[in-house]
Amino acid sequence: MKLTYIYHSGFAIEIADVTIIIDYYRDSEDTNSGIVHDSLLHREGKLYVLSTHSHADHFNPEILTWKELHPDIHYIFSKDILENHFAEPEDAVYLAPSESYRDNTLCIQAFGSTDVGCSFLIEVGGKLIFHAGDLNNWHWKEESTIAESKEYEDAYLHELEILAKVTTRFDLVMFPVDPRLGREYMLGAEQFVSRFTVGCFAPMHFQNQYEKASAFRPTAEKTGALFIGWTFPGETIKLPG
């Protein structure tokens, strides 16, 4: 299995003759240049394009034009993308939390978020992969009251328990490590790896603050996870197993 960090929360997963692109909003170099346009859209086999929600940094309507470039493409979106009129009913399969999509290649289960849309659990090629979307402990503690922070945290931990009823282990997790949260910006990620067994942990939602994202390495590795420290957009690594 190969994992590519496109940008922000955008990733590509390659397993055998299957490519999965998640939460694309810009390519690794610029709008129409980079690893997606130069390579992944031309890769043979099935292409799945997933979007966890309608925020502009997770969904770019340009992805709907990719069907003109790839003969075997499948779109699976969060239902809020349809509800907000960013796509038409015929453009994709739409999922709300607790709903799922399955074909003879993969299964995608939608779980909740502490913001808009969904998080996605993907089962493909014998691997369990989790993309959090905007699921995180968005506590904003330096700007919120103690009561507000507790409310945010309780909502987040509740979503983790719903997920834990389905699985407590993942081969790969892509999860926000967002320095904008301030002093305790790694709290949600720490709570996640403490609750679940994670094979590989890939940080996301950090814009260009690579050092801040990589500061989570010791915490992830303490739980036994392989931490992926990204250094540039378009970086591709081969994962063990």
Side-chain angles (χ1 to χ4, degrees):
M1 179 168 65
K2 288 168 62 176
L3 177 68
T4 297
Y5 170 65
I6 301 170
Y7 186 72
H8 193 53
S9 295
F11 290 90
I13 298 161
E14 299 171 62
I15 298 181
D17 59 350
V18 177
T19 305
I20 304 168
I21 297 176
I22 312 172
D23 277 12
Y24 173 96
Y25 97 94
R26 52 156 283 186
D27 211 333
S28 57
E29 294 181 19
D30 56 38
T31 304
N32 290 307
S33 179
I35 195 162
V36 174
H37 289 84
D38 297 343
S39 176
L40 294 172
L41 289 180
H42 308 289
R43 187 171 184 258
E44 293 185 359
K46 287 187 175 182
L47 172 61
Y48 293 86
V49 181
L50 282 55
S51 293
T52 61
H53 63 285
S54 58
H55 284 171
D57 60 343
H58 290 256
F59 175 77
N60 184 339
E62 180 224 331
I63 62 178
L64 293 169
T65 68
W66 293 352
K67 59 182 175 286
E68 301 167 8
L69 304 174
H70 199 286
D72 194 359
I73 191 167
H74 309 266
Y75 295 100
I76 298 94
F77 295 165
S78 170
K79 195 164 285 184
D80 72 293
I81 293 172
L82 176 64
E83 293 169 346
N84 289 315
H85 308 291
F86 289 111
E88 299 298 326
E90 65 273 14
D91 287 332
V93 173
Y94 298 94
L95 301 179
S98 79
E99 296 181 339
S100 63
Y101 167 87
R102 181 185 296 272
D103 62 19
N104 60 5
T105 299
L106 52 65
C107 176
I108 301 167
Q109 298 181 65
F111 288 85
S113 173
T114 43
D115 199 334
V116 176
C118 301
S119 50
F120 285 149
L121 175 64
I122 306 161
E123 185 175 358
V124 60
K127 303 292 185 183
L128 276 178
I129 299 166
F130 185 71
H131 188 289
D134 266 355
L135 173 66
N136 192 13
N137 185 349
W138 299 112
H139 50 77
W140 308 102
K141 289 189 176 180
E142 294 168 27
E143 303 175 18
S144 305
T145 66
I146 294 174
E148 287 171 336
S149 292
K150 185 179 186 306
E151 183 180 352
Y152 301 150
E153 182 166 77
D154 287 348
Y156 170 64
L157 296 177
H158 176 70
E159 292 297 338
L160 295 193
E161 291 310 308
I162 294 173
L163 181 59
K165 291 177 182 177
V166 175
T167 184
T168 57
R169 64 152 203 97
F170 305 93
D171 296 291
L172 168 64
V173 168
M174 293 154 279
F175 197 91
V177 181
D178 191 335
R180 297 176 305 159
L181 282 167
R183 186 176 61 252
E184 296 183 51
Y185 71 95
M186 295 183 282
L187 179 59
E190 181 177 359
Q191 291 168 321
F192 192 96
V193 297
S194 297
R195 181 64 182 85
F196 300 96
T197 299
V198 176
C200 300
F201 184 97
M204 67 181 193
H205 217 280
F206 55 84
Q207 297 289 356
N208 294 313
Q209 299 189 64
Y210 292 91
E211 289 187 10
K212 289 277 192 177
S214 291
F216 189 64
R217 179 187 297 275
T219 302
E221 292 181 343
K222 192 181 297 183
T223 67
L226 171 67
F227 181 83
I228 303 170
W230 303 113
T231 57
F232 61 90
E235 185 173 4
T236 297
I237 63 166
K238 186 174 183 179
L239 299 179

